[in-house]
Amino acid sequence: MAHQLTDVSVMGSGVSEPLELRVSPGKIGMWVFLAGEIMIFGGLIGCFVLLRLAHGGWAAEGEHVNWRIGAFNTLVLLTSSMSMALALGEARRNNAGGVKICLAITALLGLAFLGIKGFEYSREIGEGFTPWSGLFWNFYYMLTGLHAMHVAVGVAVNSTFLGLTARRGLVSTSALHLEFAGLYWHFVDLVWIFLFPLVYLSTNVK
Amino acid sequence: MASTNENRHYVQVWVWLVVLLVASTAIVLLPIPPAIGVAIVFGAAVIKALLVAREYMHLRAEYWLVYALALLPTALVLTLGVALLPDIAAHLTSYSVSVYIAAIIPFTAATLAAVALLNRSQAPAE
Amino acid sequence: MAQVAVAHAAEHELGFWRKYVFATDHKVIAKQYLWAALLMALIGGLMAAMFRWQLAWPDASVPGWGPMGPQDYMVMVTMHGTIMVFFVAMPILLGAFGNLVIPLMIGAGDMAFPRLNMASFWVFLVGCVVLLASLVVPGGASPAGWTGYPPLSDKVEFTGSFWGINLWILGLALEFVGFLLGGINFLTTVVTLRTRGMTMWRLPLIVWQEIAAVAIFLLSVGPLVAGAIMLLLDRVAGTAFFLPHRGGDPLLWQHLFWFFGHPEVYVIALPGFGIMQEILPVFARKPTFGYRTIIWCTVVACFLSLIVWAHHMYVSGIDPRLATPFSIATIAISIPFAIMIFAMIATLWRGSISFETPMLFSLGGLVTFLLGGVTGIFLGSDTADIYLHDSYFVVAHFHYTLFPVVFFAGFAGIYYWYPKMFGKLMSETLGRVHFVLTFIFFNAAFIPLFMVGLAGGPRRIYSPMAYDLLKPLQPLHVVATVATIGLVLGQLPFIVNFVMSMLWGEKAAANPWHANTLEWTVDSPPPHGNFAHPPVVTRGPYDYSMPGAKDDWYPQTAPFSGQPQET
């Protein structure tokens, strides 16, 4: 017995348009997800900082990470963030070619980041610094490893969008979906922005 | 939407991010006292993070709920960290020191709120 | 919206698998959660009866099990806690009722992300299977307590359970992922898919409580996920995050656990309150008292719930300077809850109350929760807690807060929405018998435990005869155990009622309780896509017994006809 609402006059204050006209469900959903992610990474980073403060002796272990490689990797990730943002700009200009180029660059830079990180891991393990070599290395491998997993997911998402754009071109929802993918990718970048000084720089400040 | 300008803006932001990266990395090479060096390094990281969040993640002009979703967990993580300081990190700090540390919470919250309000007032009408 | 409804109607003819197993319809997912939760509740309840048997008749043979050693006892206690909190309370209150009522009550065709919703259930179900699988792996399931404190849980040497605890962590992680996905869905749906006229201040209270609950779940679970990652790495990768002799800190886990663990209590309590707040005005035929006050109290309680976690840790060796602020915050959080309780009681004041089964369970929940809330004040104060902590007083308090919101409110919700879920009415007689048995045996089981705790009986002790000072308390344990067994057997009328009504129950009309909210404007059970046309809401949800109105109820969609009321 659904009500027939043909001639209902909606009176009174507070009758508003549905909110979906103002902000898309996908964006709210994405930000709720990111809020959860902030709490996970925030919790891990918080533990790292707290235990770091509790034990002054970590700096010695931290000197063995290579901050030059770290800085270069930061540059790679920052650049990929820019190309992701540019992909959105190109999508809004309805330029499918530009979107494809930008997404390809983003995905390749993401892969480059993972490759460099893998090289770094193998180098460190070669020098005898394994994930169980002490509290600093515990945290180092856990934080960067979890971050690398997020990068891998981001590369997969961006590649999927690249494939979709290549196959069917830009559709009406492309820019919106690209924005959601971008939010995730920028968040991954943002986590690294904090991991870089925490893991690499603060231990190497003379 | 003027997307050419938008793209130029994205590149400008990237230039700033790289400048900050170079600056914070240079600290390692310069003979600067560790306390100041660490402060500069993390200050640069915070600015970089704000730039990415504001420009690339479009927090510059967003619906208020999105702000809440970004700020609430950030404030909460800071609260958690500060609340755990006396237990996990600073067993020996005196009471007055922990009070100062605890004062960081409202200070940080106020700063974040101010940044958010400032952003909103500057937001272009979409 | 209209297109969405049409699209849903078009895919009405789905195969068996898409319709009942890999379903994206929120109503089917709600039922899946309900079935899973009831099954897990049965397992958890039987475990409780088994370890209670050991406490009443130490070292006697437990029927169907044989003599229970200390390891089995610890496993049972751990699994009972884990199952009941994470695999019963959350799926019933959030998974089942949240999924069922949110889209219906806000006038939406489905959740914002139906496929995510399906994923949420299946990830949760895999979590259930993983947790149950931990019972049969070599080394046995986790005996480390439902809080999993390291160092006990950190190394296989300490418990003998390697895969058991690993699977315990994995099962919990999957459960968290499931409810994270569900939570994203709940929040997004309520924010974006409300129908025309459904402002936030016209939402039924249960919708407010559900989104408040998932909001604090989403905000609090992150650090525990972080902790779980570290604990798992400690166990399998040789790290030392929580091992003090290698630089780690076991206290860190307690902080991370309770940073989530305390809000988790409110994740469970708020939807339970929401169910009671939905049912009380319907059966009192009165507008709810203090609608906006209740909502603001919920918001305040949510904020406070995030900064009270260390009151679980007063005896763990935390910094005393930390204990006092947490003590103050804990006492403060009782204020919004007290206001909510008073508002619920005031809703009953001078109503024309009828005692159908849902109302009986709601009132039962209200009364028992009061006792739980009041005893919580003792535990929230750090000085009193140092005496009472880790005694049976805590066990009794905890069950007096969670049993009302999970089982009393949960059963109330099942009896109330059963017609909407399955299209059949349940038997009132069996329902009342079920209520009387549950109410009597629940109180008989836990009041003795308050006494044991006040007399100094510590919890988590395998044999209550271990110390001379505990021996005089033994008769109280016998009373509690007999009542627990009665409580478990007292659920039989419910099981019979649930199954029989589904098969042979009387067909339910669209609105058997004469309630106002939107779910009662559609058929029982509602069709796929819920609403033929998006409803237009003209008023708040609790306009009962309005002066000048023809009936004593006024659906939220009823057009204005010269009536003056506006909430």
Side-chain angles (χ1 to χ4, degrees), chain C residues 327-408:
Chain C
S327 197
I328 293 167
T330 305
I331 307 285
I333 203 172
S334 61
I335 296 170
F337 275 96
I339 297 175
M340 269 195 247
I341 298 265
F342 281 129
M344 281 149 88
I345 295 171
T347 304
L348 300 172
W349 177 251
R350 291 188 172 176
S352 53
I353 301 172
S354 58
F355 293 98
E356 276 91 349
T357 316
M359 185 62 163
L360 284 175
F361 271 100
S362 296
L363 292 174
L366 193 60
V367 171
T368 40
F369 186 87
L370 261 178
L371 204 48
V374 169
T375 49
I377 295 174
F378 299 96
L379 296 171
S381 152
D382 51 351
T383 41
D385 181 75
I386 287 171
Y387 174 71
L388 294 170
H389 203 88
D390 266 328
S391 75
Y392 271 99
F393 191 87
V394 176
V395 176
H397 157 74
F398 179 77
H399 284 83
Y400 259 98
T401 51
L402 286 197
F403 196 94
V405 291
V406 178
F407 288 104
F408 280 111

Side-chain angles (χ1 to χ4, degrees), chain A:
Chain A
M1 53 162 254
H3 278 269
Q4 293 304 308
L5 298 160
T6 41
D7 58 354
V8 171
S9 58
V10 181
M11 305 188 285
S13 60
V15 175
S16 62
E17 288 299 315
L19 201 65
E20 61 180 326
L21 301 178
R22 277 187 276 156
V23 55
S24 73
K27 187 181 273 184
I28 297 289
M30 194 67 210
W31 271 103
V32 175
F33 169 73
L34 291 183
E37 287 269 38
I38 292 174
M39 290 308 293
I40 296 177
F41 275 107
L44 288 172
I45 290 175
C47 293
F48 175 78
V49 173
L50 287 166
L51 286 176
R52 176 74 196 274
L53 290 173
H55 305 278
W58 281 18
E61 292 184 74
E63 277 173 16
H64 297 284
V65 294
N66 191 322
W67 62 265
R68 289 177 181 82
I69 300 182
F72 182 70
N73 237 353
T74 312
L75 180 68
V76 169
L77 216 51
L78 288 178
T79 314
S80 79
S81 231
M82 175 188 67
S83 65
M84 193 71 201
L86 289 177
L88 179 60
E90 292 299 309
R92 285 182 175 159
R93 283 167 63 189
N94 213 9
N95 177 3
V99 172
K100 275 184 275 184
I101 293 169
C102 289
L103 276 178
I105 292 174
T106 312
L108 285 176
L109 286 173
L111 282 177
F113 176 90
L114 288 176
I116 295 168
K117 198 76 213 122
F119 166 71
E120 235 185 305
Y121 283 152
S122 66
R123 202 169 148 272
E124 279 143 5
I125 291 172
E127 289 175 17
F129 301 114
T130 58
W132 48 91
S133 312
L135 213 47
F136 173 82
W137 296 102
N138 294 171
F139 271 109
Y140 169 79
Y141 282 100
M142 177 185 62
L143 285 169
T144 56
L146 193 68
H147 176 262
M149 279 184 219
H150 279 75
V151 173
V153 171
V155 169
V157 170
N158 294 342
S159 310
T160 311
F161 270 105
L162 180 61
L164 280 178
T165 315
R167 215 173 58 223
R168 60 174 198 198
L170 288 176
V171 292
S172 58
T173 50
S174 287
L176 199 62
H177 289 170
L178 212 53
E179 195 180 345
F180 304 154
L183 281 177
Y184 175 79
W185 189 252
H186 299 312
F187 173 76
V188 172
D189 185 25
L190 218 144
V191 170
W192 185 259
I193 285 176
F194 285 108
L195 288 187
F196 172 60
L198 271 175
V199 174
Y200 293 89
L201 291 185
S202 62
T203 45
N204 285 294
V205 174
K206 295 291 179 298

